[in-house]
Amino acid sequence: LLFAKRLQRRILPKGGIYGNLKIDHLYKPSEMLSGDMFDIFYIDGDNIGIYICDVVGHGITASMMTMFVRQTMRAIKEDILSPSRALEQLHQRFVTLDLGVDKYFTMFYAIYNIKNRKLKYSNAGHNCIPIKYNFKELSLLKISGFPISLIFDEIEYKENEINLNIGDKILLYTDGITEVKNTEGEEFGIERVIKIIEEDKENVLNRIVESVENFRWREQEDDFAMVLMEVLE
């Protein structure tokens, strides 16, 4: 377990500068091993892939599935420059594992072009809607899609494209943030995340973690991960 924990943490991408993107992230498993996964990688000289994934459950089974996700995404990344087609290919490879209908995961996957600052994205059932913001406005990157599971033999995903500007930020996160409950059974929710962003756009990740810790009743029951990307000059 300790070895698997070290391995899972070591394969997470480093924060820092990727082309003209600045990446920060926070990651906290509820147990020794996590079902939350994210990755950032160069696809080619112009394009960067970034995703966040949430595997059902915790522990060894969930952590093994995150390994499958990581290896598969890195295996297909150079062949597919469409997020929707990449998710479809990921689904096809997952089906061949034949793990059972109780095993599934969600993912939001985006491809960012360094030169023209265009962001293409697709969603496989990830209900934590990414938040795009700058100093003037805030919006949600809404797009529908089913989780990757054995429910469907074949599936097609939708894809959107937006233009980003210098200073734009996008927050990716998992439901370990929004579904935390207080003593009254109330969930933290996306509205509180948005409020934190509106109040302090420069220290978002730490502010969210601090607020979740103060809001939560009992011990942490779910993994959580957050990735913040910012467009630089």
Side-chain angles (χ1 to χ4, degrees):
L1 284 173
L2 287 171
F3 175 80
K5 178 182 179 181
R6 287 197 300 270
L7 181 63
Q8 192 173 43
R9 285 186 175 273
R10 294 275 175 86
I11 67 172
L12 290 174
K14 295 183 181 298
I17 307 300
Y18 292 75
N20 58 358
L21 280 184
K22 179 183 177 183
I23 300 293
D24 291 318
H25 58 71
L26 278 174
Y27 164 81
K28 186 177 181 182
S30 60
E31 299 180 0
M32 187 169 289
L33 299 174
S34 173
D36 286 7
M37 176 70 186
F38 56 88
D39 204 0
I40 302 104
F41 44 77
Y42 287 96
I43 297 174
D44 54 31
D46 296 338
N47 295 283
I48 295 172
I50 178 170
Y51 69 79
I52 193 162
C53 170
D54 192 350
V55 175
V56 63
H58 314 283
I60 294 176
T61 302
S63 70
M64 291 296 289
M65 285 180 64
T66 66
M67 300 293 184
F68 159 79
V69 171
R70 182 182 188 276
Q71 292 305 105
T72 303
M73 291 299 290
R74 288 191 172 236
I76 66 178
K77 67 181 177 67
E78 295 178 358
D79 300 323
I80 303 176
L81 277 175
S82 163
S84 59
R85 286 184 52 231
L87 290 180
E88 290 161 11
Q89 180 63 227
L90 179 63
H91 173 263
Q92 290 176 14
R93 298 195 183 196
F94 177 74
V95 168
T96 63
L97 298 178
D98 195 25
L99 296 178
V101 294
D102 61 328
K103 302 294 187 293
Y104 62 90
F105 58 91
T106 68
M107 176 184 286
F108 179 92
Y109 178 45
I111 296 177
Y112 174 75
N113 187 284
I114 298 171
K115 290 187 175 179
N116 59 26
R117 300 197 196 102
K118 290 185 181 295
L119 184 82
K120 297 184 291 185
Y121 60 91
S122 190
N123 193 332
H126 195 70
N127 62 359
C128 299
I129 306 171
I131 304 170
K132 172 184 171 291
Y133 65 95
N134 52 41
F135 283 102
K136 295 181 179 180
E137 57 186 4
L138 181 150
S139 60
L140 302 178
L141 303 186
K142 293 183 179 180
I143 185 170
S144 60
F146 290 104
I148 292 177
S149 70
L150 295 185
I151 295 177
F152 303 102
D153 291 332
E154 294 185 9
I155 193 169
E156 292 184 358
Y157 288 100
K158 299 177 182 178
E159 183 172 307
N160 283 349
E161 181 178 281
I162 59 174
N163 294 315
L164 296 179
N165 298 309
I166 295 172
D168 283 348
K169 298 181 180 180
I170 298 177
L171 175 68
L172 311 178
Y173 56 100
T174 58
D175 59 15
I177 296 292
T178 53
E179 294 183 0
V180 165
K181 294 182 179 180
N182 61 13
T183 55
E184 300 175 355
E186 180 184 9
E187 291 188 347
F188 191 78
I190 189 173
E191 294 81 10
R192 286 185 172 85
V193 176
I194 290 174
K195 184 178 180 182
I196 290 170
I197 293 173
E198 292 174 338
E199 291 176 348
D200 185 357
K201 293 181 172 61
E202 292 301 316
N203 194 29
V204 168
L205 297 186
N206 290 328
R207 282 287 311 280
I208 291 175
V209 171
E210 180 182 342
S211 297
V212 166
E213 296 289 346
N214 291 333
F215 181 87
R216 186 182 64 227
W217 183 53
R218 295 182 176 177
E219 295 298 317
Q220 179 183 346
E221 295 181 354
D222 196 5
D223 312 318
F224 70 72
M226 292 184 290
V227 179
L228 182 63
M229 54 179 282
E230 178 183 0
V231 179
L232 305 176
E233 294 185 12

